Amino acid sequence: SEGQPCESYSYDVTVTDGVWRAKCYLHPSLNHLVHTNSLRTGSDIIIAQCSFVYNERRLGHGYISIEKLRCSSGESSLLSHIRDVRTLPVLVKSGMERSTLLQSDVPLELNRKHYLSLWNNEYPEGDVWTSAPPSSRDPVLDGEMSTCKPLPLLVKILQKSRLRYYGKIGSKIDFPYQAYFEVADQSGIMSLVLWNELCPQFYNSLNVGTVLYIQNYALKQSYSNRSRPQMDHYGIKMFTSIEICLNARNPTSIITVVPPKNVQPQWSLPDVSYRFATRSDVETFPNNSVCDIIGLVTFVGRVERVKRKGPEKYWSFRWVHAVDGTSEHPFVLELFSSSQPEIFGNIWPMTYLVCTQMRVCQVEGSLPYLTSSCETEMFITGYHKGQPYKNDPTVQNLIQRNKTLKDNVVLQKAYIGGHYCYPHAPCTFTQPVGETSGEVTLETLQYREHKKLAIQGQITTVRYVEKSSVSEPQGLGAKETLICSNMGLFPPGLNLLSWESCGWSRQCQELSVHLHHGTLHQDSISRRFTLEEKNALLRWSNLHPMRWTPEQSADTLPTTVCAGYYQVTILGKTIKFRIFRCRMHSDVMLNDIMATASELEDTHLVCVLDICHLGGEEVEVLISKVYKVTEVSVK
């Protein structure tokens, strides 16, 4: 929920001792523990100081405020004996037994009526979001026919966009949400906007293909700078200057969902249409063109987050590979969360994935990839039933082709999680070099936040770190840019490789700050996917859940050990006495550097770092590209 502290949300935490459970307010000074996932569900904590806060504006309302605590790093030993936390009695102060806030799914602070999703504001979160439209007894649906204009509309939904949260800290709007739909009748297509309180009531139940009877709506000028889906393949008129606005008041919109059995042919509503493309087709598409795709998933990357404008606002995204049999290359998909948490968090190898309104990205030096848009919807095995695309020829052809595939053959090439870097870095560096120190960048990162940082400096040491064993083979290799286990870029048999600049011994003594992030983390290594470990692998690759379930600690994954990796020390140029000791990305031609090691003496380079906060104290730092001065273009 949003709170009073400047530029930060406030958090409620439910804790248990195994006998009672209590919903507590987390003091703002502890927010950083949430931001770094140090305070997380499923772990034990020691509460060192707390107090009881009375609310004088409401009789019988108060709550526990946690002011000091210590977090454990492992899984909870206490929760292993609890099957359902909801069955435990709620700890309530005497005289406040009737306080509904302590037992319901609403924030403790009285000025908020719902929670936000912990890691992504645009996920529908909590009991307030319904999966079915209000019943016919609800006054929203039972209102009398409006006698004022505009006239009622009978339309079909052709496109559904991602939910947008526009709330700000200090805002007094209870449900600051907005959702765009493209609706149509026989005359054309127009945007429909669902506002505020109507989003929790209707968003989850309004889907592509749904027919609506709308009364008491407003017509307003469209926002010209918003993104729009490409729908010219429908061949009917697009009305882009105005949009239909549905609100809970002024005026109170009346929304009736027409059951499919009651839809009449004489209404002449257009059929839902798609623009499916095969992997071989994508090669010829121009940059920024739009298509729909279907494929069999072979790789699912971990979920990461990227900062947006505004405090504590992030996009969640992951990389996915899917094949359709028309090319030797897979679809490379950059998928941002689409307000479908039940689908986005359950994409796994061996599932059929459908993505709509994907934008083609043609980049120099890499195969094309597809990125999701605000209008993208995703569907996986288990969610295809009843979807309008099921009879599309491209979908049917893929299903027929894959009937001959054997599961064990696909599983041999299926991987999940780990660091992933795409597209490949360009041959010439053209981006501005960051002026912020790496120390500040690392300190401000939040959980699973991903950043790229370019720094100027000198490579002073290169060292190969060998591991004793490998628990499983890693099979995607450098061509698909997955950082798996084998970071070796040298011929087999070389167990130790190192290089050190002549002046390093002296420079090392003069350092005032040493930023050491050269450890290889378990979360950096992709794992072979197995059906037996499916649930554990999905939990590992997803963001940490905001609610604990017994399944969270049911299965544990074995430790993965890689064959070896390289540590590189970079001495900053503009920032005196800063070192980054990083894992080396497999695309970096380290053998070329080693072969010309003498040329590195006092040579200034631009190093591009991939940085990701893995939770707690773990920060992943990898070098994705090293540029010589001659490869830098200053604009």
Side-chain angles (χ1 to χ4, degrees):
S1 64
E2 294 182 27
Q4 297 301 320
C6 180
E7 299 301 304
S8 180
Y9 294 145
S10 62
Y11 299 91
D12 294 344
V13 182
T14 300
V15 298
T16 181
D17 61 355
V19 180
W20 298 87
R21 61 186 170 103
K23 185 161 71 171
C24 308
Y25 175 77
L26 189 70
H27 192 274
S29 64
L30 302 177
N31 283 2
H32 68 282
L33 297 176
V34 178
H35 298 162
T36 59
N37 201 38
S38 300
L39 176 63
R40 63 189 186 279
T41 58
S43 62
D44 291 332
I45 61 172
I46 297 175
I47 300 176
Q49 180 178 315
C50 62
S51 61
F52 195 87
V53 178
Y54 291 91
N55 192 303
E56 297 179 356
R57 293 183 296 172
R58 178 178 293 184
L59 183 64
H61 176 64
Y63 50 83
I64 299 171
S65 174
I66 299 177
E67 297 164 348
K68 292 182 181 180
L69 61 79
R70 297 194 299 274
C71 303
S72 68
S73 57
E75 295 297 324
S76 171
S77 57
L78 186 148
L79 287 174
S80 60
H81 305 292
I82 300 174
R83 295 190 60 85
D84 190 351
V85 176
R86 296 171 296 180
T87 62
L88 298 178
V90 178
L91 182 64
V92 180
K93 189 175 179 65
S94 178
M96 297 186 178
E97 290 81 4
R98 295 185 178 182
S99 176
T100 59
L101 293 179
L102 296 175
Q103 305 188 45
S104 57
D105 190 35
V106 292
L108 293 173
E109 290 193 328
L110 295 177
N111 62 334
R112 292 298 164 199
K113 295 187 177 181
H114 69 99
Y115 287 112
L116 297 174
S117 178
L118 185 57
W119 307 119
N120 186 331
N121 292 343
E122 296 176 347
Y123 272 173
E125 172 56 43
D127 298 337
V128 69
W129 293 84
T130 58
S131 58
S135 66
S136 59
R137 296 180 181 180
D138 194 297
V140 172
L141 300 180
D142 269 354
E144 298 181 355
M145 176 72 72
S146 172
T147 58
C148 64
K149 294 189 177 181
L151 294 174
L153 292 175
L154 185 65
V155 295
K156 178 185 285 188
I157 297 176
L158 301 184
Q159 183 66 48
K160 179 180 181 179
S161 297
R162 175 170 47 206
L163 192 68
R164 175 177 174 260
Y165 175 79
Y166 65 91
K168 297 180 180 179
I169 294 174
S171 171
K172 301 199 180 291
I173 301 175
D174 291 331
F175 296 94
Y177 291 96
Q178 175 198 64
Y180 272 93
F181 300 81
E182 304 302 316
V183 299
D185 61 11
Q186 68 275 17
S187 66
I189 301 173
M190 184 179 291
S191 295
L192 179 149
V193 193
L194 202 64
W195 286 96
N196 301 336
E197 292 95 326
L198 294 185
C199 287
Q201 290 185 55
F202 286 98
Y203 182 79
N204 285 339
S205 59
L206 301 186
N207 299 308
V208 172
T210 300
V211 176
L212 303 176
Y213 181 67
I214 305 169
Q215 305 168 71
N216 290 4
Y217 56 91
L219 291 175
K220 296 186 178 180
Q221 186 174 358
S222 294
Y223 180 59
S224 59
N225 291 331
R226 79 172 182 91
S227 64
R228 294 178 180 272
Q230 288 194 11
M231 306 186 70
D232 53 348
H233 58 290
Y234 277 92
I236 56 178
K237 184 176 178 59
M238 295 280 298
F239 298 95
T240 58
S241 60
I242 58 175
E243 57 193 22
I244 305 164
C245 295
L246 303 183
N247 293 276
R249 61 186 65 85
N250 301 322
T252 300
S253 299
I254 302 174
I255 307 169
T256 303
V257 176
V258 181
K261 63 180 181 181
N262 295 342
V263 177
Q264 303 299 315
Q266 56 265 33
W267 295 348
S268 300
L269 298 176
D271 293 329
V272 178
S273 177
Y274 294 90
R275 189 182 286 173
F276 278 99
T278 65
R279 176 59 184 84
S280 58
D281 294 334
V282 171
E283 295 285 348
T284 62
F285 286 174
N287 188 53
N288 210 37
S289 58
V290 174
C291 64
D292 310 315
I293 66 100
I294 179 171
L296 182 68
V297 175
T298 57
F299 165 73
V300 181
R302 70 186 180 205
V303 179
E304 296 181 353
R305 302 193 299 155
V306 61
K307 190 80 167 63
R308 298 169 51 198
K309 290 183 179 180
E312 299 189 36
K313 291 187 177 181
Y314 292 84
W315 295 120
S316 300
F317 72 98
R318 71 191 326 162
W319 289 90
V320 173
H321 285 189
V323 297
D324 68 354
T326 66
S327 170
E328 61 179 359
H329 302 295
F331 288 111
V332 179
L333 309 174
E334 182 186 32
L335 299 181
F336 288 84
S337 57
S338 58
S339 302
Q340 299 170 285
E342 72 286 354
I343 293 178
F344 186 75
N346 284 285
I347 302 174
W348 49 279
M350 303 285 291
T351 189
Y352 286 105
L353 173 67
V354 168
C355 298
T356 65
Q357 294 288 324
M358 298 290 288
R359 298 189 180 275
V360 177
C361 297
Q362 298 282 2
V363 288
E364 179 186 355
S366 300
L367 294 173
Y369 69 96
L370 303 173
T371 185
S372 59
S373 63
C374 292
E375 297 79 30
T376 294
E377 283 197 290
M378 308 171 200
F379 301 94
I380 57 175
T381 301
Y383 292 85
H384 297 308
K385 184 177 181 181
Q387 296 299 332
Y389 56 73
K390 286 205 68 175
N391 295 323
D392 188 280
T394 302
V395 175
Q396 292 297 316
N397 290 339
L398 175 70
I399 294 174
Q400 291 299 320
R401 280 195 299 269
N402 287 347
K403 282 184 177 179
T404 60
L405 293 177
K406 295 183 179 180
D407 287 354
N408 60 340
V409 175
V410 179
L411 281 171
Q412 289 177 1
K413 302 178 181 179
Y415 287 83
I416 189 169
H419 175 270
Y420 186 94
C421 181
Y422 203 85
H424 302 298
C427 297
T428 303
F429 181 81
T430 58
Q431 301 299 319
V433 179
E435 297 180 358
T436 304
S437 73
E439 185 177 11
V440 173
T441 300
L442 297 175
E443 288 178 352
T444 58
L445 281 179
Q446 293 198 20
Y447 172 59
R448 287 282 182 91
E449 181 180 355
H450 176 267
K451 280 189 177 182
K452 279 190 176 293
L453 177 67
I455 62 171
Q456 297 184 67
Q458 302 173 30
I459 293 179
T460 56
T461 69
V462 179
R463 176 174 297 179
Y464 179 74
V465 180
E466 183 182 28
K467 294 293 183 180
S468 58
S469 63
V470 180
S471 63
E472 59 181 35
Q474 307 289 329
L476 283 172
K479 288 187 178 180
E480 296 185 88
T481 70
L482 273 174
I483 306 306
C484 299
S485 68
N486 189 1
M487 304 300 293
L489 302 176
F490 298 90
L494 294 178
N495 296 324
L496 179 62
L497 292 169
S498 63
W499 172 83
E500 181 177 301
S501 67
C502 297
W504 172 239
S505 298
R506 174 184 54 80
Q507 293 169 331
C508 188
Q509 299 297 321
E510 298 175 352
L511 291 175
S512 59
V513 178
H514 185 179
L515 303 180
H516 187 284
H517 290 276
T519 303
L520 178 64
H521 301 286
Q522 288 290 306
D523 286 354
S524 301
I525 307 172
S526 65
R527 293 173 179 262
R528 186 184 294 278
F529 180 81
T530 64
L531 294 174
E532 294 77 16
E533 296 178 317
K534 170 188 168 184
N535 293 333
L537 288 168
L538 284 176
R539 286 193 296 271
W540 170 68
S541 62
N542 285 328
L543 297 174
H544 197 87
M546 64 182 294
R547 286 182 171 85
W548 178 84
T549 60
E551 293 79 15
Q552 187 173 324
S553 53
D555 301 315
T556 57
L557 294 172
T559 300
T560 300
V561 181
C562 78
Y565 62 98
Y566 292 92
Q567 285 184 341
V568 178
T569 301
I570 305 170
L571 184 64
K573 173 188 175 184
T574 59
I575 306 166
K576 296 300 182 182
F577 308 126
R578 295 291 191 269
I579 297 179
F580 291 84
R581 183 164 290 171
C582 324
R583 274 185 62 208
M584 197 67 146
H585 189 294
S586 60
D587 284 347
V588 179
M589 301 308 295
L590 188 56
N591 49 344
D592 292 341
I593 296 175
M594 295 289 289
T596 58
S598 60
E599 298 178 12
L600 289 177
E601 292 288 349
D602 300 322
T603 300
H604 295 300
L605 305 168
V606 173
C607 301
V608 181
L609 308 181
D610 269 336
I611 306 174
C612 184
H613 194 295
L614 301 179
E617 300 296 325
E618 293 187 356
V619 178
E620 174 188 84
V621 183
L622 300 98
I623 300 179
S624 59
K625 184 70 174 179
V626 176
Y627 292 96
K628 300 176 182 178
V629 175
T630 56
E631 299 169 330
V632 176
S633 175
V634 180
K635 294 185 178 180

